Amino acid sequence: MAKMWEGRFSKALDTQADDFNSSIHFDCRMFRQDIKGSMAHAAMLAARGIISQADADAIIPELENILQDIESGKLAIDMTAEDIHMFVEAELTKRLGDVGKRLHTARSRNDQVAVDIRLYLREEADGIIEMLKTLLDAILHQAKQHKETIMPGYTHLQRAQPITFAHHLLAYGMMFTRDIGRIQDAVKRMNCNPLGSCALAGTTYNTDRYMTADALGFDGITLNSIDGVSDRDFCVELLSAFATVMMHLSRFSEEIILWASWEFKFIELDDSYTTGSSIMPQKKNPDIAELVRGKTGRVYGDLMAMLTILKGIPLAYNKDMQEDKESIFDAVDTVKQCLTVFPPMLKTLKALPENMLKAAQKGFINATDLADYLTKKGIPFRTAYKLVGQTVAYCIAKNKVLEELSLAEYKEFHELFEADVFEAISLRRCVESRISAGSTNLESVETQITYIETFI
Ligand code: ARG
């Protein structure tokens, strides 16, 4: 395709340099945003008398036609165009002649691309938030069934204290509610109209940037034209929020992989979310969870790429910034792919409460409760803690667990032990008596469920 800017040059751009320079292969996905931005711009130009109403009346419906033609497949995007902005303008001019050539008055591709990315990200961010809600729904679906399913809670991957499966799942639920908040916060700051900043310094035309802001659903306008075209910190913020979503998904995936192993066997993944091996007939592999964990690295990479693209470029626009889009698109695609498969995988997995309970019965996970038992009878916590440490060592030597000691053996450690000690260290009691706000008890779990429901 001929270059719009060829007047200045005596020679065509080298073919390979042209390919290298072009962004149409990836920015073609922003055709909708680009056309909507142009429609708003044309309407504003006419309202301000910068172009005639008759021209706007020709341009706007023709842009709509172009949009529909691309959507219906009637019009193929020309991959020899430099970018989507050039393609849309060239197509308009092809259809309208000189009238089409008036559209780019009081505008630059620099503010155009800044608008397009914002509109694109706003829409994708909304979609990702909806997907996160579906994930929260899957978490609640499992949590509601397992409010009283006891499992070991871990620190250092060592059995620590008894918790419920619901409490564990809801911890992830809380993380994903904050992910929603992070995305919403970033969108709020991003939702400012850069259109009208033009190349960098604004324009000599008496434009109305508030009018295009309104038409495009922005909350306001960028107040500095250089900032308007140079800023991509909203991309950094959103990529960072997406990377955090992936980090949470990856941690969750890691646990699902562990839980599905024969060593844990806390869950059984549904056949529709597992794969077999080409050689080992017995295998049932958690590939989906592993891939989510693996893809996390890409999104971290996208964030790093964006930060690095921006770190050394002077104001205002530099061609380096064209690289912003591939990072954004890759992160958006990856997060969406993961959020498509993860929630149903979670929803369809089957918890195995007997195995969880069996694991909870080993590892002295009620030792803190035994110390608390003595503390509540007046023994200072540190003393009780040491005594229980000795009791555990004694159990290990005898190959017993705390529940298996006799009252007489307990009395050897301290005379304040009574028959009620067995009830105090029963796993169910350990869970129920964690009464502090936000703990693993049933009422707290129900409060958490109610809270998360407000996000859905
Ligand atoms: N394709 C370009 C990009 O994505 C559009 C902006 C071009 N501006 C320029 N001054 N060359 O960044």
Side-chain angles (χ1 to χ4, degrees), residues 429-440:
R429 181 67 185 276
C430 293
V431 167
E432 279 165 9
S433 55
R434 291 259 171 335
I435 51 169
S436 58
S439 64
T440 190

Side-chain angles (χ1 to χ4, degrees), residues 246-273:
M246 290 304 299
M247 180 269 290
H248 289 146
L249 283 175
S250 184
R251 258 181 116 166
F252 205 166
S253 295
E254 168 65 12
E255 295 215 270
I256 286 173
I257 295 160
L258 281 176
W259 293 338
S261 70
W262 280 106
E263 283 66 20
F264 276 80
K265 260 291 163 250
F266 285 2
I267 59 163
E268 172 90 39
L269 286 168
D270 194 81
D271 280 2
S272 51
Y273 290 95

